Amino acid sequence: MDHDRIPEIALDWHRAGRGAALATVTETWGSAPRPVGSQLAVSGAGEIMGSVSGGCVEGAVVAEALETLADGQPRHLSFGVSDDDAFAVGLACGGRISVLVEPVGGAIPEDLLADLVSARASRRALAYVTRPDGSGRRLTPGPGDPLAPAIAARMRADRSGMEEDGTFIAIHNPPLRLIVVGAVHIAQPLVAMARLCGYDPVLIDPRGSFGSAERFPGETIRDDWPDEAMAALAPDARTAVVTLTHDPKLDDPAIRAALASPCFYLGCLGSTRTHAKRLDRLRTAGVGDEAIARIHAPVGLDIGAKSPAEIAVSVLAQITQTLRRG
């Protein structure tokens, strides 16, 4: 959706000769309408896409963006959001926000923004690092950077923010994905809950009676064999994988493919006895203990879940715990 493509839109506007500035929330206090890292693109004609405050201060930010397009200088702005304005956008009380406004082609070089857009298209995580005065601006994946530990922590938490030394780190993570092998009953509430939590779910099941559009309306369903589907989907570090079929012919190839990938989570449905047999098969297939230790099984947090929906809650809770806490 367009509100998720703010850097891309700003680059398109700039390359079309329309001018573009990017406004980014760098700090918030109190009940701020939008989180740190939220962005607004402004064209030279005053067109906007995105939001930094849900509507409270957009007009002032647009005016400043047009000024920065005129002189090429970044601006670091602070705004107070009144209780009345906050209530108008659905908040109980007001707060304050700081917004960094940068012109594309000026403070933000076109090639730097193009590199960011390219990384986003290829699902490569990057951090945009800068200071409000425009110094120290760079793109980095993290390793080898002077701020590598802070960047790694922020990438894991999906949390942009200001460091104590005044450096702003904007995190650009790929969207989260959930690959579910087995279009069984548990998968129905699981994919729905995952989508609410910001995941892009994909179902894999070659059995047509299970992976049907009637059972999973609007969901992406692959009917090829799990090893082929996993190869095509190429799980990365922003992907969780859950196997639910109980059928070794379907689960085991998907598990081996997941273990060969950098996916951040792999959970497998089944009892302790079922999992012990699974481990025997994996070891026979040459899978080492270090890889096997990545498997969460029986899948989900132990919350006493019974129904398919409750089991889905436990699975998604464990995925969230792994993503945020490691």
Side-chain angles (χ1 to χ4, degrees), residues 44-99:
E47 303 160 291
I48 65 171
M49 187 63 69
S51 173
V52 291
S53 74
C56 303
V57 301
E58 260 69 8
V61 173
V62 170
E64 292 285 351
L66 295 176
E67 290 292 328
T68 201
L69 284 173
D71 61 25
Q73 298 301 310
R75 286 161 168 74
H76 198 217
L77 314 170
S78 292
F79 298 96
V81 180
S82 71
D83 286 354
D84 287 344
D85 287 341
F87 184 78
V89 294
L91 297 173
C93 57
R96 290 188 296 134
I97 61 172
S98 289
V99 180

Side-chain angles (χ1 to χ4, degrees), residues 69-221:
L69 284 173
D71 61 25
Q73 298 301 310
R75 286 161 168 74
H76 198 217
L77 314 170
S78 292
F79 298 96
V81 180
S82 71
D83 286 354
D84 287 344
D85 287 341
F87 184 78
V89 294
L91 297 173
C93 57
R96 290 188 296 134
I97 61 172
S98 289
V99 180
L100 178 62
V101 184
E102 302 171 288
V104 178
I108 303 179
E110 178 183 339
D111 58 351
L112 185 147
L113 185 57
D115 288 345
L116 174 60
V117 168
S118 176
R120 285 163 58 92
S122 60
R123 294 186 56 84
R124 288 185 290 116
L126 284 181
Y128 173 64
V129 181
T130 189
R131 289 178 175 271
D133 63 4
S135 63
R137 184 178 286 107
R138 62 190 183 275
L139 285 176
T140 174
D145 191 273
L147 293 174
I151 291 169
R154 289 191 177 280
M155 282 185 172
R156 177 172 294 279
D158 273 329
R159 185 177 296 131
S160 302
M162 195 76 74
E163 294 297 300
E164 290 184 0
D165 67 353
T167 302
F168 176 63
I169 302 175
I171 298 301
H172 291 269
N173 271 326
L176 291 163
R177 292 190 297 172
L178 173 63
I179 299 174
V180 178
V181 180
V184 298
H185 195 175
I186 296 169
Q188 291 176 302
L190 179 58
V191 296
M193 293 176 188
R195 190 173 294 283
L196 289 173
C197 289
Y199 287 79
D200 183 12
V202 179
L203 280 161
I204 300 173
D205 202 318
R207 304 168 298 182
S209 58
F210 284 80
S212 65
E214 290 76 18
R215 298 185 70 233
F216 296 91
E219 298 297 344
T220 300
I221 306 169

Side-chain angles (χ1 to χ4, degrees), residues 232-247:
L233 292 169
D236 57 20
R238 295 280 288 174
T239 305
V241 179
V242 177
T243 66
L244 300 175
T245 74
H246 280 149
D247 186 341

